[in-house]
Amino acid sequence: AVSSHTFGLVCIEVTPDGDGLKAREAWINRNLKINIATPVWANGSLYCQGPNKDFVCVDARTGELRWSHPGFGQGRKDYASSLLVGGTLLVLSESGTLFLLAADPAQYRELGRLQVCGNTWSFPAYVGGKLYVREPSALLCVDLIDGHAAKD
């Protein structure tokens, strides 16, 4: 699935076609006009920043909105990056708040949150229990197991 603030959220199905491939639009949800954010797939659903300062869960087979939860945007660019780690989502908002969410297609379930940095649009990296986050003047390493942060 790809997102566009112009067209919405679009799922493209790619299938074998002779010696090549062919692509067709499987579905489109024109109400999910998402800017910049990339959906993450888990349990048959797509999770990402929504278009209305919300975080959304979308049925990956049909494109239908399963749920929406407010509070993911400050009215600037409204961006959050999402990673799937095990069965949970790590969602870093533009304000630098890290949300731990259950990848639950039935409902929004917040498992925890932590302010890890200042404003950021950077996509974090997760390795071995550590989350690496770039903010404008520093690279941070947040140890999600021990709960402390270090700046470089």
Side-chain angles (χ1 to χ4, degrees), residues 8-128:
L9 187 62
V10 181
C11 179
I12 306 296
E13 181 181 23
V14 179
T15 56
D17 185 21
D19 290 339
L21 300 170
K22 73 175 180 181
R24 71 168 189 86
E25 182 182 294
W27 54 257
I28 186 167
N29 185 325
R30 294 193 188 280
N31 294 322
L32 291 174
K33 294 182 177 180
I34 301 163
N35 191 21
I36 306 172
T38 302
V40 172
W41 182 91
N43 303 323
S45 296
L46 298 169
Y47 299 87
C48 69
Q49 170 78 43
N52 302 307
K53 299 181 186 131
D54 56 349
F55 195 79
V56 298
C57 174
V58 177
D59 186 317
R61 289 175 294 118
T62 65
E64 292 180 36
L65 183 66
R66 287 187 165 156
W67 53 255
S68 169
H69 187 79
F72 284 82
Q74 299 175 336
R76 289 191 294 268
K77 297 295 181 185
D78 302 328
Y79 172 76
S81 55
S82 304
L83 296 169
L84 182 67
V85 177
T88 58
L89 297 162
L90 294 175
V91 179
L92 182 63
S93 72
E94 71 173 304
S95 66
T97 303
L98 180 66
F99 294 84
L100 179 64
L101 305 177
D104 185 344
Q107 64 182 341
Y108 176 88
R109 286 193 303 130
E110 185 175 314
L111 305 173
R113 72 171 68 184
L114 177 67
Q115 189 68 40
V116 297
C117 65
N119 289 342
T120 184
W121 282 7
S122 296
F123 203 95
Y126 177 85
V127 178

